[in-house]
């Protein structure tokens, strides 16, 4: 809890500095595309940087010296787990999106938002690695040392779901950024908790997704399969949001995005079944050594 409080505090302090650095880079003509991002994007990156910087003292405080201390091992099927996990998450989500696009709930965009795909690819590459290292790698690993497996999974998944509701508002004007603007954004980041129906719907989906990721980590004793699943969900959701837009809010079936509601929850459960089938696939297990002949 001290770590999470420190991440939010350091992130709020760092966000204005990061924003001003970005404005200087734009003024120098080095990276004009940064002009498309407002303060809340810099706040997100600042919190992420703070989470990474404070990981080292957190590791030291728990005396974690190796991956084995977190019940993680070398995975001989790392590449296969990564690819299968990506497919098991992305394909059901994209197929579900195709069905919804044929209904009056969603309609296809014309044209497809290709210019926003680089951001989707970057998110699918970076976010799963960072979040799996933190939640399924470190936090779950530490909790397994003092809790039962079920307790550790429930606590980690609940924390994962709650953290994803802490989002800064997108309406903070760039022209009025000061040293304390990060704390204003932090104070407004909890606004989504004031919408009970939306919070419960989103929390349930994110909690189940986190349980699936934790199950993949425990079954394989590595992070490659959960990273693949996580990347698949981010990529498929990004592709679908660039290809279609919502015309109708159909709670509790579908929320404000494709990751909230009963339908996304059922799709996530399908991915869970596919992941379980892959883990139990006989060829995934190492073959027994042949008997020695004299």
């Amino acid at each position: 809890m001290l770590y999470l409080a420190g991440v939010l505090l350091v992130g709020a302090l760092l966000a204005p500095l990061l924003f001003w650095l970005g404005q200087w880079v734009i003024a120098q003509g080095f990276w004009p595309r940064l002009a498309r991002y407002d303060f809340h994007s810099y706040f997100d990156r600042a919190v992420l940087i703070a989470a990474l910087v404070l990981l080292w003292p957190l590791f030291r405080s728990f005396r974690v010296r190796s991956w084995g201390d977190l019940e993680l091992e070398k995975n001989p099927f790392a590449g296969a787990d990564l690819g299968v996990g990506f497919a098991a998450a992305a394909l059901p989500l994209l197929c579900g999106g195709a069905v919804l696009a044929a209904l009056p709930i969603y309609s296809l965009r014309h044209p497809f938002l290709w210019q926003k795909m680089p951001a989707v690819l970057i998110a699918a590459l970076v976010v799963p690695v960072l979040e799996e290292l933190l939640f399924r790698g470190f936090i779950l690993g530490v909790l397994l040392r003092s809790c039962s497996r079920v307790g550790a999974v429930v606590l980690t998944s609940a924390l994962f779901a709650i953290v994803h509701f802490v989002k800064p508002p997108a309406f903070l004007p760039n022209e009025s950024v000061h040293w304390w603007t990060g704390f204003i954004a932090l104070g407004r980041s909890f606004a989504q908790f004031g919408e009970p129906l939306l919070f419960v719907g989103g929390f349930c989906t994110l909690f189940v997704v986190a349980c699936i990721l934790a199950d993949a980590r425990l079954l394989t004793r590595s992070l490659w399969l959960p990273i693949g699943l996580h990347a698949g969900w981010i990529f498929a959701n990004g592709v679908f949001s660039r290809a279609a837009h919502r015309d109708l809010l159909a709670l509790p079936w579908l929320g404000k995005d494709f990751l909230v509601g009963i339908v996304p929850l059922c799709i996530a459960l399908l991915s869970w079944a596919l992941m379980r089938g892959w883990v139990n696939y006989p060829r995934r297990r190492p073959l027994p050594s042949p008997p020695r002949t004299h």
Side-chain angles (χ1 to χ4, degrees):
M1 297 306 296
L2 285 173
Y3 167 76
L4 293 175
V7 166
L8 295 176
L9 176 62
V10 174
L13 290 170
L14 183 60
L17 291 173
L18 204 61
F19 174 80
W20 291 327
L21 176 61
Q23 300 310 299
W24 180 83
V25 170
I26 294 170
Q28 301 302 314
F30 295 142
W31 198 352
R33 287 189 177 184
L34 284 178
R36 297 184 301 175
Y37 299 100
D38 48 19
F39 179 78
H40 89 279
S41 298
Y42 288 92
F43 181 88
D44 285 341
R45 304 312 183 271
V47 170
L48 187 58
I49 292 172
L52 292 174
V53 170
L54 294 179
L55 266 182
W56 175 246
L58 185 63
F59 269 63
R60 297 288 295 176
S61 67
F62 282 101
R63 299 178 181 177
V64 176
R65 297 181 178 86
S66 66
W67 293 114
D69 293 337
L70 300 174
E71 296 193 18
L72 291 169
E73 299 175 355
K74 186 177 181 180
N75 185 356
F77 302 96
D81 280 353
L82 186 66
V84 172
F86 183 91
L91 293 179
L93 199 60
L94 290 174
C95 291
V99 173
L100 290 174
L103 300 175
I105 299 175
Y106 280 86
S107 59
L108 294 176
R109 299 181 187 272
H110 299 287
F112 183 90
L113 301 180
W114 290 106
Q115 69 277 12
K116 294 188 177 182
M117 281 305 297
V120 174
L121 294 174
I122 292 173
L125 289 171
V126 176
V127 173
V129 175
L130 297 178
E131 291 192 353
E132 293 312 306
L133 281 172
L134 176 60
F135 288 98
R136 259 63 60 180
F138 183 75
I139 295 177
L140 181 57
V142 168
L143 289 175
L144 286 170
R145 297 162 67 174
S146 56
C147 302
S148 66
R149 283 201 166 197
V150 174
V153 169
V154 168
L155 287 173
T156 305
S157 300
L159 181 62
F160 177 84
I162 290 173
V163 165
H164 279 73
F165 276 90
V166 182
K167 294 182 179 180
F171 51 84
L172 284 173
N174 291 347
E175 296 77 15
S176 58
V177 174
H178 305 285
W179 284 103
W180 57 87
T181 306
F183 292 97
I184 296 175
L186 182 60
R188 296 178 181 176
S189 296
F190 299 89
Q192 294 188 82
F193 291 95
E195 303 178 43
L197 186 60
L198 196 60
F199 171 72
V200 171
F203 178 87
C204 290
T205 306
L206 288 169
F207 180 81
V208 170
V209 164
C211 287
I212 296 171
L213 295 171
D215 188 42
R217 183 257 208 233
L218 293 174
L219 288 172
T220 61
R221 297 182 67 87
S222 80
L223 297 177
W224 290 104
L225 186 55
I227 287 174
L229 288 164
H230 202 151
W233 278 317
I234 291 178
F235 177 78
N237 182 58
V239 169
F240 181 71
S241 64
R242 271 64 178 176
H245 60 86
R246 179 176 51 81
D247 296 325
L248 179 65
L249 187 64
L251 288 172
W253 300 99
L254 284 168
K256 63 180 182 178
D257 59 41
F258 200 31
L259 295 177
V260 176
I262 296 176
V263 172
L265 184 61
C266 293
I267 294 175
L269 292 175
L270 175 58
S271 295
W272 196 347
L274 293 174
M275 179 273 290
R276 278 275 183 161
W278 163 246
V279 172
N280 294 325
Y281 186 54
R283 289 188 180 179
R284 190 188 177 280
R285 302 171 186 164
L287 296 175
S289 301
R292 292 184 179 182
T293 57
H294 298 282

